[in-house]
Amino acid sequence: MNLPPLRDPFFTYRYRRRLHVLRVLLALTTTFIIIRLFAIPHSGWALVSTVMVMGNLPHIGGVLDKGRQRLLGTVLGAASGLLLILLPIDLPLLIPAGSLVAIGIATWLTFGNRHGYSGLMFAISLLLVVGDGSHALDVGLWRAFDVLLGTLVGIVITVLVLPQKATDMMRFMLAENLDRMARLFHVHTTASAALDIDTRALLKAASSALVKQRGLVDAIHRERRLRRDELDDIISLQRRMLSTIELLLETHWNTRAGHDRIEAMEGLRDEQHRLARELGTLAYQVRTGQPIAVEISQFDLQRYAPLATTAVSAQGRALFSPSGYLWLNRELARLTEALVTRLGGLTRLPSRRLRRASGRKWARRHTATPDRGAQDVPRQP
């Protein structure tokens, strides 16, 4: 039975931008209702804080990571501001000077480490509390309360309302990249000219996705499903696979003699098409939460050795491109097998939620049809 759309992880991933906007607006509405219902003084700061905490918290891992930093920075910053207001010293520049010193210390302590956001929230909260430097204790207290209220509302709404998990984002980005690489490898086996615009767009999208995956590592780690070293291995293998495919795309047609020798290798195209289909199958298994069970066929280089090692051009010059080309194909298959092994060893990667959510819709779109060769490479949803 399929999950309702709102509980489908792919639904929250596909519409993550719209859902994040919805969460921000809902959080602001909730904060506005609270401050109007209870007539909270200086309530504008609560609305400002809600926007600040929701600005870049699109997934639960980000909430768990940065939410703690925001709360810590907010509490310490507000407390520091109140302490400056309560000091029994009547000096005109005490509060401004004390604020500068406190912000300087916080910035020094958090510079260049993962707690930098706490330092930022410390400074913002302190400045909101001290305001123009007056000694109005009630104003400082209400501002501190407003900051905490806005922060908590933003975090609660992000966690409870159609939450986006960083682990699911990583999963879908990985599946999309595998689909892209399957398509690129298939295009490579049929290309007869330089890279076209669509191919370059696929390469650019795949590289961009790797950067985004790297940015999710801390958030995924906070969700306690995958370790940093596991994520590093997955991203590294993708990068090496993409680099290998790019080399294949760039070097395949360098010389006509080398190309003719490669075309004469009987069965090579079938092996390449099979690897492209296996990449697509792997993408489907990752996307739908299936256990990773695809078997990657390795290239048998020995059967092509006579054509590769004795390649000579019409001018009598040795051709090294066939051997290098075969090595790149074998390397891509080897890296794919290594990725399959790594993914297969992750006990928390399979997902019952995704298997229920995928249903027949994805099965129809991703199941290969016999006797269609490389045209069966699965596409992204």
Side-chain angles (χ1 to χ4, degrees):
M1 186 176 72
N2 291 347
L3 289 174
L6 295 182
R7 295 182 59 196
D8 183 351
F10 186 73
F11 175 85
T12 57
Y13 172 73
R14 184 176 183 182
Y15 298 103
R16 59 190 181 278
R17 178 179 294 183
R18 300 176 188 178
L19 293 177
H20 184 55
V21 172
L22 174 64
R23 285 190 290 265
V24 171
L25 297 180
L26 180 59
L28 280 172
T29 302
T30 302
T31 305
F32 183 77
I33 291 173
I34 292 173
I35 62 180
R36 289 297 297 269
L37 186 63
F38 296 98
I40 297 175
H42 308 283
S43 54
W45 297 115
L47 293 170
V48 171
S49 297
T50 300
V51 174
M52 288 193 302
V53 301
M54 295 287 287
N56 62 341
L57 284 176
H59 42 72
I60 292 178
V63 173
L64 297 177
D65 185 29
K66 292 191 175 180
R68 295 174 183 177
Q69 294 192 45
R70 285 168 172 160
L71 285 176
L72 178 64
T74 298
V75 171
L76 293 179
S80 299
L82 292 174
L83 179 63
L84 287 173
I85 292 175
L86 291 173
L87 284 177
I89 303 175
D90 188 14
L91 293 176
L93 298 179
L94 175 63
I95 291 180
S99 299
L100 289 175
V101 171
I103 292 174
I105 293 173
T107 304
W108 174 271
L109 293 176
T110 60
F111 179 79
N113 59 45
R114 60 185 307 271
H115 297 290
Y117 203 79
S118 290
L120 174 63
M121 287 305 300
F122 176 91
I124 292 174
S125 301
L126 190 154
L127 294 174
L128 286 176
V129 170
V130 300
D132 57 1
S134 65
H135 288 68
L137 179 60
D138 60 330
V139 174
L141 287 172
W142 277 117
R143 285 177 178 172
F145 175 79
D146 290 333
V147 169
L148 288 174
L149 173 64
T151 300
L152 290 173
V153 169
I155 292 174
V156 169
I157 293 297
T158 303
V159 173
L160 297 182
V161 179
L162 296 173
Q164 173 71 63
K165 292 187 176 181
T167 305
D168 285 337
M169 290 184 66
M170 175 71 179
R171 180 196 305 274
F172 294 132
M173 287 183 181
L174 170 60
E176 288 173 352
N177 252 10
L178 290 170
D179 265 334
R180 292 185 186 107
M181 287 190 280
R183 293 163 60 188
L184 285 166
F185 189 52
H186 167 57
V187 167
H188 151 73
T189 63
T190 58
S192 58
L195 303 184
D196 58 18
I197 295 177
D198 292 339
T199 302
R200 294 187 183 279
L202 277 176
L203 285 169
K204 184 177 180 180
S207 298
S208 176
L210 288 175
V211 175
K212 293 178 181 177
Q213 289 178 39
R214 178 63 64 186
L216 291 173
V217 170
D218 286 337
I220 295 171
H221 179 68
R222 286 291 180 185
E223 293 178 358
R224 306 299 182 189
R225 294 192 64 85
L226 298 174
R227 301 193 309 271
R228 285 191 175 90
D229 62 321
E230 295 170 339
L231 294 167
D232 289 341
D233 288 346
I234 292 171
I235 295 172
S236 176
L237 286 168
Q238 285 181 80
R239 188 177 302 280
R240 291 159 64 188
M241 289 168 64
L242 185 61
S243 298
T244 303
I245 291 175
E246 190 169 8
L247 285 173
L248 285 166
L249 288 167
E250 293 284 358
T251 62
H252 185 192
W253 311 117
N254 274 359
T255 64
R256 186 66 201 179
H259 166 246
D260 292 341
R261 188 58 65 100
I262 291 167
E263 287 296 313
M265 296 178 181
E266 185 177 353
L268 177 60
R269 285 289 179 257
D270 291 337
E271 290 191 67
Q272 291 173 322
H273 294 164
R274 183 168 57 249
L275 178 56
R277 289 195 298 272
E278 290 164 352
L279 277 167
T281 301
L282 177 59
Y284 170 72
Q285 292 179 352
V286 170
R287 181 186 295 110
T288 57
Q290 307 289 332
I292 305 301
V294 61
E295 294 186 6
I296 304 300
S297 304
Q298 296 302 309
F299 281 76
D300 182 10
L301 299 189
Q302 288 300 318
R303 63 185 295 189
Y304 309 118
L307 288 172
T309 57
T310 61
V312 180
S313 68
Q315 292 77 25
R317 299 182 61 183
L319 296 175
F320 296 98
S321 55
S323 298
Y325 177 74
L326 289 173
W327 182 86
L328 288 172
N329 280 273
R330 187 191 66 173
E331 183 67 5
L332 178 61
R334 188 190 67 80
L335 291 170
T336 305
E337 185 178 42
L339 181 61
V340 168
T341 301
R342 195 65 171 107
L343 295 175
L346 303 178
T347 57
R348 304 196 68 179
L349 182 67
S351 171
R352 211 174 283 171
R353 292 179 304 120
L354 289 173
R355 288 199 294 274
R356 290 199 301 266
S358 61
R360 299 177 182 175
K361 175 181 64 177
W362 282 347
R364 285 197 303 266
R365 297 181 63 179
H366 293 272
T367 300
T369 301
D371 300 325
R372 288 184 59 194
Q375 296 299 325
D376 293 328
V377 174
R379 295 297 189 97
Q380 302 174 45

